[in-house]
Amino acid sequence: MTVPTDHRDRAAVRGRNVVPSAAVTGASPVPDTAGAGSTDEVGTRHVAPPVRRTRGAGRTPASLLFLVLTILLIATTLLSAMVGQLFIPPLEVVGSFFRGLGLDFAWLPAPGQQFGHEALWEVRFPRVAMTILVGAALAVAGALMQGIFGNPLAEPGVVGVSSGAAVGASFAILFGFTFAGSFTVPLFAFVCGLATTALVYGLARANGRTEAVTLILTGVAVNAVAGAAISFIVFKAPTSAREQIVFWQMGSFNGSRWEQVSVILPIIVVASILCLFLSRQLDLLALGEKSARHLGVNVERLRIIAMIYVALLVSAAVAFAGIIAFVGLVVPHLVRMLIGPGHRALLPASLLGGAVLLVIADLGARTLVEFADLPIGMLTSLVGGPFFFYLLRRSRAASGGWG
């Protein structure tokens, strides 16, 4: 014979993790804040035990990418300082670095080679610092350009800043201007890069606003004119000036000095930090211009500010290093494929990625050919060209054709 049991007996059998229903106990219903629960057919409510988080469960792909890029940047920077015509062991490089900062650690040896400390601080360290700054600037500028145009194929050269800087540098070399000493050519490049970007924006603006397509087409036209101007300058220049113009356009970090680093460091650091404040608006702009305007984004103002930052970053980068192609195209797109399109993580990750890529490229430029310093713009183009073709093929496959 089966003995009937009420729901309280059943609750006692099921265990402690049972809460009697309000209808039975007469108590007022209490919302469940301890965890998820369910109610069975008798009216008893089962409270799920709290979920125990395992260590590392909240780790995101972005944080992992930041960690990997930071380690790569430290490792490649150390390797670049070690390798050269004079090999310096890693501990001696670190020891020389801290001694140059006024910190003398007994367990870190000084460079054993004669003039090793001077070679590091006068040649290699400023070159590595310049490489990191230029790579970071170009990558951040590329991420901004792709954000404001909504196109992963956009790069800083679209608005004419690189070609304008090349015209300015070529003009200074042709006429032999030296009123600012060794800073004359970089000064002309910086000013003309900014002026060309302003010209592109001014020509593309109509009725108080600009369109992304109009900006791109205007940039293409201005780039064509700038290319023709450079060709004319090269044609008119004497042999020595012609060679200097050609090598400047190829890009190189040979001869980098601390004075040059101190000039571009504040520009690139401040502009990169300011770019982070545009992250939310760039994310909203990715929804489309109309949607972004409905959500309170002043698209025209955002585009103006972003182009100013791009002009500052790229002009400062190419002023001393020359034209270095494809860094602003390749790095942001790779980062976007790894962690997604959110600019709050995309911009700083692109900064680190650009620095790593250019340090590796400069290391190859110094070591691939013995007793020679290859143009770094040539190496980045050798890598960036095939990758650009890959992007085109990928875009074609996604859209179902070239149209």
Side-chain angles (χ1 to χ4, degrees):
M1 179 176 180
T2 303
V3 180
T5 58
D6 61 7
H7 61 276
R8 295 172 190 168
D9 297 326
R10 295 180 185 178
V13 173
R14 289 190 181 99
R16 296 180 180 179
N17 236 6
V18 178
V19 178
S21 64
V24 176
T25 61
S28 59
V30 179
D32 175 28
T33 58
S38 60
T39 304
D40 62 12
E41 71 280 358
V42 187
T44 54
R45 193 156 187 270
H46 301 267
V47 181
V51 178
R52 181 173 298 174
R53 291 182 179 270
T54 59
R55 183 173 296 179
R59 191 170 296 170
T60 62
S63 61
L64 290 176
L65 181 62
F66 285 135
L67 177 62
V68 171
L69 288 177
T70 302
I71 294 174
L72 280 176
L73 181 59
I74 296 173
T76 54
T77 299
L78 180 61
L79 181 62
S80 183
M82 291 166 47
V83 178
Q85 295 182 12
L86 178 67
F87 177 80
I88 302 177
L91 286 180
E92 295 183 4
V93 172
V94 178
S96 175
F97 176 77
F98 282 111
R99 280 177 173 80
L101 298 177
L103 302 174
D104 192 357
F105 297 106
W107 55 276
L108 287 175
Q113 298 90 339
Q114 187 179 12
F115 305 116
H117 182 76
E118 290 77 10
L120 286 173
W121 276 94
E122 295 179 10
V123 179
R124 295 188 187 176
F125 284 164
R127 178 165 182 159
V128 172
M130 180 70 75
T131 305
I132 292 173
L133 288 174
V134 171
L138 293 176
V140 171
L144 272 184
M145 291 298 297
Q146 294 174 11
I148 63 175
F149 287 118
N151 192 330
L153 303 181
E155 63 163 351
V158 169
V159 293
V161 58
S162 298
S163 58
V167 171
S170 302
F171 188 81
I173 294 172
L174 172 64
F175 290 98
F177 293 140
T178 58
F179 59 86
S182 60
F183 291 93
T184 305
V185 173
L187 178 62
F188 268 82
F190 181 79
V191 173
C192 288
L194 295 177
T196 305
T197 304
L199 176 64
V200 170
Y201 180 80
L203 293 176
R205 186 178 177 89
N207 298 323
R209 58 180 299 182
T210 60
E211 300 291 340
V213 176
T214 307
L215 273 172
I216 294 175
L217 295 178
T218 305
V220 170
V222 171
N223 280 330
V225 174
I230 294 172
S231 299
F232 180 76
I233 293 174
V234 170
F235 175 78
K236 295 292 293 182
T239 302
S240 59
R242 184 180 301 128
E243 292 178 355
Q244 189 177 353
I245 292 171
V246 171
F247 278 101
W248 187 92
Q249 292 184 76
M250 291 182 179
S252 176
F253 292 104
N254 190 20
S256 298
R257 305 188 307 277
W258 286 118
E259 293 83 0
Q260 300 173 349
V261 174
S262 64
V263 170
I264 70 171
L265 176 64
I267 299 174
I268 292 177
V269 170
V270 172
S272 299
I273 293 174
L274 292 175
C275 289
L276 296 176
F277 292 98
L278 303 179
S279 300
R280 180 179 176 276
Q281 297 181 65
L282 290 172
D283 290 341
L284 295 177
L285 184 60
L287 302 174
E289 290 192 19
K290 292 183 178 179
S291 299
R293 289 191 180 96
H294 285 307
L295 293 172
V297 177
N298 189 331
V299 176
E300 192 64 26
R301 180 174 175 270
L302 172 62
R303 193 167 283 148
I304 293 173
I305 294 175
M307 289 183 64
I308 291 174
Y309 293 163
V310 168
L312 287 172
L313 288 169
V314 179
S315 297
V318 305
F320 292 104
I323 297 178
I324 301 175
F326 286 108
V327 175
L329 169 67
V330 173
V331 174
H333 192 79
L334 280 176
V335 172
R336 188 178 289 104
M337 291 171 62
L338 293 173
I339 63 174
H343 288 83
R344 186 176 181 181
L346 176 65
L347 290 173
S350 297
L351 184 147
L352 291 173
V356 170
L357 176 62
L358 216 53
V359 169
I360 295 174
D362 183 60
L363 179 61
R366 292 192 295 110
T367 59
L368 288 178
V369 178
E370 192 175 3
F371 304 111
D373 198 330
L374 298 176
I376 193 169
M378 178 185 68
L379 292 180
T380 56
S381 296
L382 286 175
V383 176
F387 188 79
F388 185 76
F389 180 72
Y390 160 74
L391 291 182
L392 291 175
R393 297 280 298 182
R394 190 168 179 267
S395 298
R396 179 191 181 190
S399 61
W402 294 112

